[in-house]
Amino acid sequence: MSRTSRTRLRLALGASAFLLATAVVPAPAHAEDVTDATDVADVTDYAITVDPSTRGATIDKTMYGVFFEDINRAADGGLYAELVQNRSFEYSTDDNKSYTPLTAWTVAGQAQVVNDSGRLNETNRNYLSLAAGSSVTNAGYNTGIAVEDGKKYDFSVWARADSGTTLGVSLQDAGGTLAAARQVEVKKSGWARYKVTFTATRTSATGRLTVAASDATALDMVSLFPRDTYKHEPNGLRKDLAEKIAALHPGFVRFPGGCLVNTGSMEDYSAASGYQRKRSYQWKDTIGPVETRATNSNFWGYNQSYGLGYYEYFRLAEDIGAMPLPVVPALVTGCGQNKAVDDPALLERHIQDTLDLIEFANGPVTSKWGKLRASMGHPKPFRLTHIEVGNEENLPAEFFARFTQFRAAIQAAYPYMTVISNAGPDDSGSTFDTAWQLNKDAKVDMVDEHYYNSPQWFLQNNDRYDSYDRTGPKVFLGEYASGGNAFKNGLAEAAYMTGLERNADVVKLASYAPLFANEDYVQWRPDLVWFNNHASWGSANYEVQKLFMNNVGTRVVPSTATGTPSLVAPISGAVGLSTWATSAAYDDVKVTGADGTSLLSDDFSGDTADRWTHTGGGSWSLDDGQYVQTDTAAENTMVSAGDPAWHDYDLHVKATKRAGKEGFLVAFGVKDTGNYYWWNLGGWNNTQTAVEQAVDGGKSTLIAKPGTIETGRAYDVDIKVRGRQVTLYLDGQEWGSFADDKPAEPFRQVVTKDAMTGDLIVKVVNDQSSAARTAIDLGGTKVASKAKVTTLAAAPDAVNSETATAVAPAVSTFNGVADKFSYTFSANSVTFLRIKQR
């Protein structure tokens, strides 16, 4: 820390606070307790003051939870323990253009997939006709079928033969046999289920399952399950993945979506609807015997078998002591589809389906749906208390008209039920504002907010909920993440979570998203837990969530902290041009300093385009005095020019969309490929115009409005940058302005009390490269001299992997606790001090 910044700190804190902060040095009891051994110059000073006389907000035991969506193969090939991929031969081009009914299968001899009246049942449309002397081999997921030496694996198959036949079933890899082969005698009595058990003789992650037939045989639901699943078998959950959820001790489990809920057809899977494969996730498809559950296309580009369905979700929540929180379709699609379904009869059916879902969860065994639950093995109710209608709808008025009908029907039948609405897909903007106003006016119980922003946004917005209406709807932060799985992302999220806890009277539920990702089938990053077919590992973000979830406390103890002294520099950087899935032409680029000095002028009339550095994709060229990007498939085609030190300037660009899905982008404050601002005109499939800020590759939206860009029309784009203030003009008219002047405070804290243990829990995040020497005043609280210390500390770019855990909690004891004491929090760290009260 420089002399200048220490002087500013002294002026900010006052002399007495500064002396307190610098005079008391931590005195750890053990060598491993030393939090930082750096020179004084590498230490920044802070003070935390706790007010135990003021009662803070109560923190519900359900405060933190998890959100499970079948994305990144989180279900089939993931949490659902089935080892056979495409076990029912139902894969289709509706799921993925590359799929066939024999995807993941290899045929030796003759076999064909059949869809006729001889099928197993109406919702299981396909089956395999295997010729005499032929066989099929399944490749499983990832590198193959994973088995462990000495463990048991249960094979089952539905089979039918016109005459008796023998099935030979084997497990092998390139090295040979993985278990003793088994034989199954198929009788000529129509479809029947046959079972055998394997005991693995070797460990392998590249296994294959082969089924061979001596005579012509029909096969369906070819299955291999590990005997050792989480809590239940058969049809159980993969143990290591379920245990990682359980280790969080989440207060709730939100499921099944996400985009799975509000995309696709709202029809059922029946002859009347033409067996539509691209449907929203509908709970009745996912219950009952697995061989009768309807298959479906997954929004994220693969098939979902529904082997993991609503019954299994409810059971998982119960097993880990969490509150179930299902999400049902509101008949307004989102996630880029954005269509309101106008069918009163279909709406009424979905409302009734929702009432039936609640009966399935809570109804007595004498009720229709409670009886079905009991027949599946769970006569006791699941104690459902919360249900969410819809997910990230971009049409707030249309959504809310339908939501109110769901809400009225649910609360009439089940007045105890908390019915949750949502505020769209972003943290701000016109959709967000409209949705929130509708929710407030209708006195909705709770509103679900979703946002994925940069680490800087999370550091800047710790106070987001400080100003929320304490009498209005409560907040469910159902999806959030900071754009990466490095420890710097976890630090920013941890800093933000201190603000969630401080506002626990408003923010009642919060869940990071998404939960799982199979490393070989990734549609979304970042994710909390990563896995393959034989191993799993928690990310740095997972360790942060685990630390918070296991040390929540029961109420907030009000506290304040000093901030980090810093100078706010003006926005500076070069300028840039870009496109996103669009071809566009640019001309007359001019950058003029605030004093009128010309910094850049390019009319692309000669070979001047060589001054532009191409850092993105796409294809740029000079064309008739314009600079043109022609690739309509390329995303982020950035070219930039100028000096990264430029500040206080005016940028003028003439831009024309030529073809493609969106508009064009004009960048300013460009530092490098991961740090810039851009004005995104006609983004989001040409529905919205916004200014986004990229910090270390993660983007946040600073200002947004609905808007489209016309093809072939030349637009005059002007951006005025003064200090941290930016004003934007489109065709000479002011479009909007913003000031990016919120400090990204790296030192955040919150204090909670645990009524069960009496502990004070001091939670401190230090997201900077210098240690934070901190004077802590507990406000007269009588405390024991020892504290349990749990610390996450690592390099900002550290990540966890299958083979290395760079971010893991370290537990120690600190002996220097008193009413007033000092503690040095390590650079780049999250630290929890659990202090016993006397």
Side-chain angles (χ1 to χ4, degrees), residues 102-115:
L102 283 172
T103 292
W105 293 94
T106 302
V107 176
Q110 294 183 334
Q112 63 176 333
V113 175
V114 182
N115 180 345

mmCIF file with all atom_site columns, all heavy atoms in Angstrom, residues 102-115:
data_model
loop_
_atom_site.group_PDB
_atom_site.id
_atom_site.type_symbol
_atom_site.label_atom_id
_atom_site.label_alt_id
_atom_site.label_comp_id
_atom_site.label_asym_id
_atom_site.label_entity_id
_atom_site.label_seq_id
_atom_site.pdbx_PDB_ins_code
_atom_site.Cartn_x
_atom_site.Cartn_y
_atom_site.Cartn_z
_atom_site.occupancy
_atom_site.B_iso_or_equiv
_atom_site.pdbx_formal_charge
_atom_site.auth_seq_id
_atom_site.auth_comp_id
_atom_site.auth_asym_id
_atom_site.auth_atom_id
_atom_site.pdbx_PDB_model_num
ATOM 1   N N   . LEU A 1 102 ? -30.407 -45.072 -33.262 1.00 0.00 ? 102 LEU A N   1
ATOM 2   C CA  . LEU A 1 102 ? -29.320 -45.961 -32.855 1.00 0.00 ? 102 LEU A CA  1
ATOM 3   C C   . LEU A 1 102 ? -28.080 -45.200 -32.391 1.00 0.00 ? 102 LEU A C   1
ATOM 4   O O   . LEU A 1 102 ? -27.003 -45.789 -32.261 1.00 0.00 ? 102 LEU A O   1
ATOM 5   C CB  . LEU A 1 102 ? -28.955 -46.902 -34.005 1.00 0.00 ? 102 LEU A CB  1
ATOM 6   C CG  . LEU A 1 102 ? -29.927 -48.080 -34.211 1.00 0.00 ? 102 LEU A CG  1
ATOM 7   C CD1 . LEU A 1 102 ? -29.599 -48.840 -35.489 1.00 0.00 ? 102 LEU A CD1 1
ATOM 8   C CD2 . LEU A 1 102 ? -29.889 -49.024 -33.001 1.00 0.00 ? 102 LEU A CD2 1
ATOM 9   N N   . THR A 1 103 ? -28.219 -43.894 -32.125 1.00 0.00 ? 103 THR A N   1
ATOM 10  C CA  . THR A 1 103 ? -27.105 -43.148 -31.547 1.00 0.00 ? 103 THR A CA  1
ATOM 11  C C   . THR A 1 103 ? -26.659 -43.825 -30.257 1.00 0.00 ? 103 THR A C   1
ATOM 12  O O   . THR A 1 103 ? -27.479 -44.222 -29.427 1.00 0.00 ? 103 THR A O   1
ATOM 13  C CB  . THR A 1 103 ? -27.523 -41.696 -31.279 1.00 0.00 ? 103 THR A CB  1
ATOM 14  O OG1 . THR A 1 103 ? -27.725 -41.039 -32.529 1.00 0.00 ? 103 THR A OG1 1
ATOM 15  C CG2 . THR A 1 103 ? -26.455 -40.953 -30.498 1.00 0.00 ? 103 THR A CG2 1
ATOM 16  N N   . ALA A 1 104 ? -25.350 -43.959 -30.077 1.00 0.00 ? 104 ALA A N   1
ATOM 17  C CA  . ALA A 1 104 ? -24.698 -44.611 -28.931 1.00 0.00 ? 104 ALA A CA  1
ATOM 18  C C   . ALA A 1 104 ? -24.709 -46.134 -29.036 1.00 0.00 ? 104 ALA A C   1
ATOM 19  O O   . ALA A 1 104 ? -24.180 -46.816 -28.161 1.00 0.00 ? 104 ALA A O   1
ATOM 20  C CB  . ALA A 1 104 ? -25.287 -44.178 -27.596 1.00 0.00 ? 104 ALA A CB  1
ATOM 21  N N   . TRP A 1 105 ? -25.292 -46.681 -30.105 1.00 0.00 ? 105 TRP A N   1
ATOM 22  C CA  . TRP A 1 105 ? -25.333 -48.135 -30.302 1.00 0.00 ? 105 TRP A CA  1
ATOM 23  C C   . TRP A 1 105 ? -24.528 -48.524 -31.545 1.00 0.00 ? 105 TRP A C   1
ATOM 24  O O   . TRP A 1 105 ? -24.501 -47.795 -32.533 1.00 0.00 ? 105 TRP A O   1
ATOM 25  C CB  . TRP A 1 105 ? -26.766 -48.632 -30.486 1.00 0.00 ? 105 TRP A CB  1
ATOM 26  C CG  . TRP A 1 105 ? -27.630 -48.495 -29.270 1.00 0.00 ? 105 TRP A CG  1
ATOM 27  C CD1 . TRP A 1 105 ? -28.468 -47.464 -28.968 1.00 0.00 ? 105 TRP A CD1 1
ATOM 28  C CD2 . TRP A 1 105 ? -27.738 -49.433 -28.208 1.00 0.00 ? 105 TRP A CD2 1
ATOM 29  N NE1 . TRP A 1 105 ? -29.097 -47.700 -27.758 1.00 0.00 ? 105 TRP A NE1 1
ATOM 30  C CE2 . TRP A 1 105 ? -28.663 -48.908 -27.273 1.00 0.00 ? 105 TRP A CE2 1
ATOM 31  C CE3 . TRP A 1 105 ? -27.151 -50.675 -27.945 1.00 0.00 ? 105 TRP A CE3 1
ATOM 32  C CZ2 . TRP A 1 105 ? -29.011 -49.568 -26.103 1.00 0.00 ? 105 TRP A CZ2 1
ATOM 33  C CZ3 . TRP A 1 105 ? -27.491 -51.336 -26.777 1.00 0.00 ? 105 TRP A CZ3 1
ATOM 34  C CH2 . TRP A 1 105 ? -28.410 -50.791 -25.865 1.00 0.00 ? 105 TRP A CH2 1
ATOM 35  N N   . THR A 1 106 ? -23.907 -49.680 -31.489 1.00 0.00 ? 106 THR A N   1
ATOM 36  C CA  . THR A 1 106 ? -23.239 -50.272 -32.637 1.00 0.00 ? 106 THR A CA  1
ATOM 37  C C   . THR A 1 106 ? -23.865 -51.634 -32.897 1.00 0.00 ? 106 THR A C   1
ATOM 38  O O   . THR A 1 106 ? -24.034 -52.434 -31.963 1.00 0.00 ? 106 THR A O   1
ATOM 39  C CB  . THR A 1 106 ? -21.730 -50.447 -32.377 1.00 0.00 ? 106 THR A CB  1
ATOM 40  O OG1 . THR A 1 106 ? -21.160 -49.176 -32.078 1.00 0.00 ? 106 THR A OG1 1
ATOM 41  C CG2 . THR A 1 106 ? -21.043 -51.035 -33.596 1.00 0.00 ? 106 THR A CG2 1
ATOM 42  N N   . VAL A 1 107 ? -24.202 -51.904 -34.147 1.00 0.00 ? 107 VAL A N   1
ATOM 43  C CA  . VAL A 1 107 ? -24.871 -53.152 -34.505 1.00 0.00 ? 107 VAL A CA  1
ATOM 44  C C   . VAL A 1 107 ? -23.881 -54.101 -35.167 1.00 0.00 ? 107 VAL A C   1
ATOM 45  O O   . VAL A 1 107 ? -23.114 -53.699 -36.041 1.00 0.00 ? 107 VAL A O   1
ATOM 46  C CB  . VAL A 1 107 ? -26.046 -52.877 -35.473 1.00 0.00 ? 107 VAL A CB  1
ATOM 47  C CG1 . VAL A 1 107 ? -26.693 -54.188 -35.928 1.00 0.00 ? 107 VAL A CG1 1
ATOM 48  C CG2 . VAL A 1 107 ? -27.083 -51.975 -34.816 1.00 0.00 ? 107 VAL A CG2 1
ATOM 49  N N   . ALA A 1 108 ? -23.901 -55.352 -34.714 1.00 0.00 ? 108 ALA A N   1
ATOM 50  C CA  . ALA A 1 108 ? -23.176 -56.424 -35.390 1.00 0.00 ? 108 ALA A CA  1
ATOM 51  C C   . ALA A 1 108 ? -24.225 -57.405 -35.909 1.00 0.00 ? 108 ALA A C   1
ATOM 52  O O   . ALA A 1 108 ? -24.942 -58.022 -35.119 1.00 0.00 ? 108 ALA A O   1
ATOM 53  C CB  . ALA A 1 108 ? -22.211 -57.120 -34.442 1.00 0.00 ? 108 ALA A CB  1
ATOM 54  N N   . GLY A 1 109 ? -24.336 -57.532 -37.216 1.00 0.00 ? 109 GLY A N   1
ATOM 55  C CA  . GLY A 1 109 ? -25.401 -58.335 -37.803 1.00 0.00 ? 109 GLY A CA  1
ATOM 56  C C   . GLY A 1 109 ? -26.501 -57.440 -38.311 1.00 0.00 ? 109 GLY A C   1
ATOM 57  O O   . GLY A 1 109 ? -26.236 -56.416 -38.951 1.00 0.00 ? 109 GLY A O   1
ATOM 58  N N   . GLN A 1 110 ? -27.747 -57.791 -37.983 1.00 0.00 ? 110 GLN A N   1
ATOM 59  C CA  . GLN A 1 110 ? -28.883 -57.028 -38.475 1.00 0.00 ? 110 GLN A CA  1
ATOM 60  C C   . GLN A 1 110 ? -29.770 -56.572 -37.310 1.00 0.00 ? 110 GLN A C   1
ATOM 61  O O   . GLN A 1 110 ? -30.117 -57.375 -36.429 1.00 0.00 ? 110 GLN A O   1
ATOM 62  C CB  . GLN A 1 110 ? -29.715 -57.867 -39.451 1.00 0.00 ? 110 GLN A CB  1
ATOM 63  C CG  . GLN A 1 110 ? -28.986 -58.205 -40.737 1.00 0.00 ? 110 GLN A CG  1
ATOM 64  C CD  . GLN A 1 110 ? -29.862 -58.971 -41.705 1.00 0.00 ? 110 GLN A CD  1
ATOM 65  O OE1 . GLN A 1 110 ? -30.797 -59.646 -41.296 1.00 0.00 ? 110 GLN A OE1 1
ATOM 66  N NE2 . GLN A 1 110 ? -29.564 -58.857 -42.997 1.00 0.00 ? 110 GLN A NE2 1
ATOM 67  N N   . ALA A 1 111 ? -30.122 -55.298 -37.340 1.00 0.00 ? 111 ALA A N   1
ATOM 68  C CA  . ALA A 1 111 ? -31.036 -54.743 -36.336 1.00 0.00 ? 111 ALA A CA  1
ATOM 69  C C   . ALA A 1 111 ? -31.668 -53.497 -36.923 1.00 0.00 ? 111 ALA A C   1
ATOM 70  O O   . ALA A 1 111 ? -31.040 -52.775 -37.700 1.00 0.00 ? 111 ALA A O   1
ATOM 71  C CB  . ALA A 1 111 ? -30.299 -54.413 -35.052 1.00 0.00 ? 111 ALA A CB  1
ATOM 72  N N   . GLN A 1 112 ? -32.912 -53.236 -36.547 1.00 0.00 ? 112 GLN A N   1
ATOM 73  C CA  . GLN A 1 112 ? -33.563 -52.001 -36.967 1.00 0.00 ? 112 GLN A CA  1
ATOM 74  C C   . GLN A 1 112 ? -34.501 -51.520 -35.871 1.00 0.00 ? 112 GLN A C   1
ATOM 75  O O   . GLN A 1 112 ? -35.069 -52.319 -35.123 1.00 0.00 ? 112 GLN A O   1
ATOM 76  C CB  . GLN A 1 112 ? -34.322 -52.189 -38.272 1.00 0.00 ? 112 GLN A CB  1
ATOM 77  C CG  . GLN A 1 112 ? -35.466 -53.180 -38.217 1.00 0.00 ? 112 GLN A CG  1
ATOM 78  C CD  . GLN A 1 112 ? -36.242 -53.245 -39.524 1.00 0.00 ? 112 GLN A CD  1
ATOM 79  O OE1 . GLN A 1 112 ? -36.287 -52.274 -40.275 1.00 0.00 ? 112 GLN A OE1 1
ATOM 80  N NE2 . GLN A 1 112 ? -36.870 -54.387 -39.782 1.00 0.00 ? 112 GLN A NE2 1
ATOM 81  N N   . VAL A 1 113 ? -34.623 -50.201 -35.797 1.00 0.00 ? 113 VAL A N   1
ATOM 82  C CA  . VAL A 1 113 ? -35.550 -49.607 -34.840 1.00 0.00 ? 113 VAL A CA  1
ATOM 83  C C   . VAL A 1 113 ? -36.920 -49.517 -35.477 1.00 0.00 ? 113 VAL A C   1
ATOM 84  O O   . VAL A 1 113 ? -37.057 -49.044 -36.615 1.00 0.00 ? 113 VAL A O   1
ATOM 85  C CB  . VAL A 1 113 ? -35.053 -48.224 -34.383 1.00 0.00 ? 113 VAL A CB  1
ATOM 86  C CG1 . VAL A 1 113 ? -36.088 -47.557 -33.480 1.00 0.00 ? 113 VAL A CG1 1
ATOM 87  C CG2 . VAL A 1 113 ? -33.711 -48.356 -33.667 1.00 0.00 ? 113 VAL A CG2 1
ATOM 88  N N   . VAL A 1 114 ? -37.927 -49.981 -34.739 1.00 0.00 ? 114 VAL A N   1
ATOM 89  C CA  . VAL A 1 114 ? -39.282 -50.104 -35.268 1.00 0.00 ? 114 VAL A CA  1
ATOM 90  C C   . VAL A 1 114 ? -40.238 -49.230 -34.457 1.00 0.00 ? 114 VAL A C   1
ATOM 91  O O   . VAL A 1 114 ? -40.123 -49.139 -33.234 1.00 0.00 ? 114 VAL A O   1
ATOM 92  C CB  . VAL A 1 114 ? -39.752 -51.577 -35.218 1.00 0.00 ? 114 VAL A CB  1
ATOM 93  C CG1 . VAL A 1 114 ? -41.150 -51.718 -35.810 1.00 0.00 ? 114 VAL A CG1 1
ATOM 94  C CG2 . VAL A 1 114 ? -38.766 -52.476 -35.930 1.00 0.00 ? 114 VAL A CG2 1
ATOM 95  N N   . ASN A 1 115 ? -41.154 -48.589 -35.159 1.00 0.00 ? 115 ASN A N   1
ATOM 96  C CA  . ASN A 1 115 ? -42.225 -47.815 -34.525 1.00 0.00 ? 115 ASN A CA  1
ATOM 97  C C   . ASN A 1 115 ? -43.540 -48.325 -35.116 1.00 0.00 ? 115 ASN A C   1
ATOM 98  O O   . ASN A 1 115 ? -43.982 -47.862 -36.169 1.00 0.00 ? 115 ASN A O   1
ATOM 99  C CB  . ASN A 1 115 ? -42.020 -46.324 -34.804 1.00 0.00 ? 115 ASN A CB  1
ATOM 100 C CG  . ASN A 1 115 ? -43.089 -45.450 -34.182 1.00 0.00 ? 115 ASN A CG  1
ATOM 101 O OD1 . ASN A 1 115 ? -44.152 -45.926 -33.772 1.00 0.00 ? 115 ASN A OD1 1
ATOM 102 N ND2 . ASN A 1 115 ? -42.827 -44.147 -34.125 1.00 0.00 ? 115 ASN A ND2 1
#
